[in-house]
Amino acid sequence: MTAQIQVEKLVKEYRVHERGAGAWASLRSLFKRQYRAARAVDELSFSIAAGERVGFLGPNGAGKTTTLKVLSGLLHPTAGTVRVDGFDPRKRDFDFLRRITLVMGQKQQLLWDLPPVDTFAMNRAIYDIPRREFDETVAELTTLLDLGPLIKRPTRQLSLGERMKCELVAALLHRPKVLFLDEPTIGLDVSMQLTMRAFIRDYNERFGATVLLTSHYMDDVAALCPRVVVIDKGRLIYDGDLAALVRKVRPQKRVVVRLSDGKTETHDVPDGELQSCIAKLLQRGVVDLTVEDPPLEDVMRDLFLGNHAA
């Protein structure tokens, strides 16, 4: 299968000013500055096929957002090669920009004092979207996200969840084929997170769009991404099936039982001992019993702490 996103030995370094502590060091830095190269992304390689939904995971400072900015052309790589849908992102060709979108949960493109519909109109002009296609897309997306008359209210009057839904509409008006989503559900309540996940999945399936998603909410990843690319300190540490990663890092199941005396117990049980564990628990007056995979947060924590090599 042809790769729609291709990253080969990507390196991104920043020039960082270094200054010692104290007044004398501050004064000296005014006349002679010392710098060091800080490597945010370190020879990172992976590829993603058209239509895939891939989670891009790592701890804070791992290089996720930097990589997404390189893929969207906002940053230029220090070394290595990047191709997105056949384009070199750093050239920022118009045809390339029409094929991608970057949604950052902590940034917004909506104009604060104007209603979202005005931002939509501005994006129609920027992307040269035909009027009929624009009207159809706005109607379709606002219906899917249940926005209704909200798009005509000033952005400053909208809640965070309402603004994020409008952000997605603005980002998808040109029907991009590649979605770079950086924390798209950050700060949203549980209900709104479910709405956003369902919308992203629907867009992916309806238009065959490729999705590369970062999130610190592991429920986002579990619900949307069969495959994950995991990096730490800018380096690749895992690329593959999410379920396989869970089994490899934590080869056990979590058994939660509610007993007849009202107590609830949680047991982490190795796969080979699951049947015998359940048989013993059932002899104790079990009212309810569930068997689950270990929480994805625990799996990621073990992976990043080096408790298990992926």
Side-chain angles (χ1 to χ4, degrees):
M1 190 178 293
T2 304
Q4 190 167 35
I5 300 172
Q6 185 73 48
V7 178
E8 295 183 1
K9 294 187 177 300
L10 173 63
V11 174
K12 179 59 184 176
E13 292 182 343
Y14 294 97
R15 196 166 174 245
V16 180
H17 172 225
E18 284 193 328
R19 178 178 63 80
W24 173 245
S26 298
L27 181 62
R28 183 172 55 189
S29 71
L30 294 175
F31 301 97
K32 186 177 180 180
R33 292 194 163 214
Q34 294 183 331
Y35 294 89
R36 67 177 177 86
R39 183 165 287 196
V41 182
D42 192 1
E43 296 194 354
L44 178 64
S45 298
F46 63 88
S47 63
I48 299 175
E52 277 196 278
R53 294 193 306 268
V54 179
F56 192 38
L57 307 181
N60 289 330
K64 304 184 300 296
T65 298
T66 296
T67 301
L68 292 188
K69 287 182 176 179
V70 170
L71 289 170
S72 58
L74 296 177
L75 294 175
H76 290 189
T78 304
T81 59
V82 175
R83 306 290 290 182
V84 177
D85 208 19
F87 291 88
D88 181 350
R90 62 185 152 185
K91 294 182 179 179
R92 302 281 287 176
D93 294 331
F94 182 68
D95 286 342
F96 165 72
L97 297 177
R98 283 186 62 91
R99 285 169 167 79
I100 72 156
T101 196
L102 171 63
V103 177
M104 305 180 73
Q106 298 183 358
K107 304 286 184 181
Q108 73 169 35
Q109 62 174 309
L110 298 176
L111 303 173
W112 190 245
D113 291 315
L114 297 177
V117 70
D118 285 0
T119 300
F120 301 165
M122 180 180 68
N123 282 9
R124 184 186 80 83
I126 291 173
Y127 290 106
D128 194 24
I129 305 170
R131 167 61 70 176
R132 182 175 178 179
E133 179 183 325
F134 171 79
D135 290 342
E136 290 176 354
T137 304
V138 169
E140 182 178 22
L141 296 181
T142 54
T143 298
L144 285 172
L145 286 170
D146 193 26
L147 285 170
L150 292 177
I151 62 173
K152 296 183 180 179
R153 288 169 48 189
T155 298
R156 56 184 164 77
Q157 295 181 5
L158 303 179
S159 69
L160 175 60
E162 292 166 345
R163 291 201 304 272
M164 278 306 303
K165 290 198 291 186
C166 291
E167 288 284 347
L168 267 183
V169 173
L172 300 179
L173 284 173
H174 57 295
R175 296 189 179 179
K177 287 295 186 180
V178 180
L179 278 57
F180 300 121
L181 306 179
D182 190 18
E183 303 282 358
T185 63
I186 191 168
L188 304 184
D189 61 36
V190 173
S191 175
M192 193 60 65
Q193 288 175 25
L194 291 172
T195 298
M196 298 291 270
R197 289 175 201 141
F199 176 77
I200 292 167
R201 178 186 291 274
D202 183 82
Y203 186 90
N204 159 260
E205 294 175 350
R206 182 174 299 198
F207 297 106
T210 305
V211 178
L212 184 59
L213 173 140
T214 79
S215 182
H216 285 100
Y217 297 134
M218 291 299 100
D219 286 346
D220 289 350
V221 179
L224 289 170
C225 304
R227 173 187 166 197
V228 293
V229 173
V230 187
I231 65 173
D232 192 12
K233 299 181 178 65
R235 286 184 171 271
L236 180 73
I237 61 174
Y238 181 81
D239 180 2
D241 182 73
L242 175 59
L245 176 63
V246 172
R247 290 193 299 270
K248 191 171 186 179
V249 175
R250 285 209 166 194
Q252 57 196 29
K253 294 291 186 180
R254 174 158 291 186
V255 180
V256 181
V257 294
R258 183 160 56 89
L259 303 173
S260 56
D261 59 6
K263 294 180 180 179
T264 299
E265 297 180 358
T266 301
H267 302 267
D268 290 329
V269 184
D271 284 344
E273 302 174 14
L274 185 60
Q275 288 187 342
S276 60
C277 175
I278 291 176
K280 291 178 182 178
L281 290 171
L282 290 175
Q283 298 174 8
R284 299 175 52 196
V286 171
V287 175
D288 187 45
L289 183 149
T290 59
V291 180
E292 307 166 345
D293 286 327
L296 194 50
E297 289 86 353
D298 293 353
V299 173
M300 292 296 117
R301 183 189 62 217
D302 285 356
L303 191 59
F304 297 143
L305 290 176
N307 295 342
H308 192 286

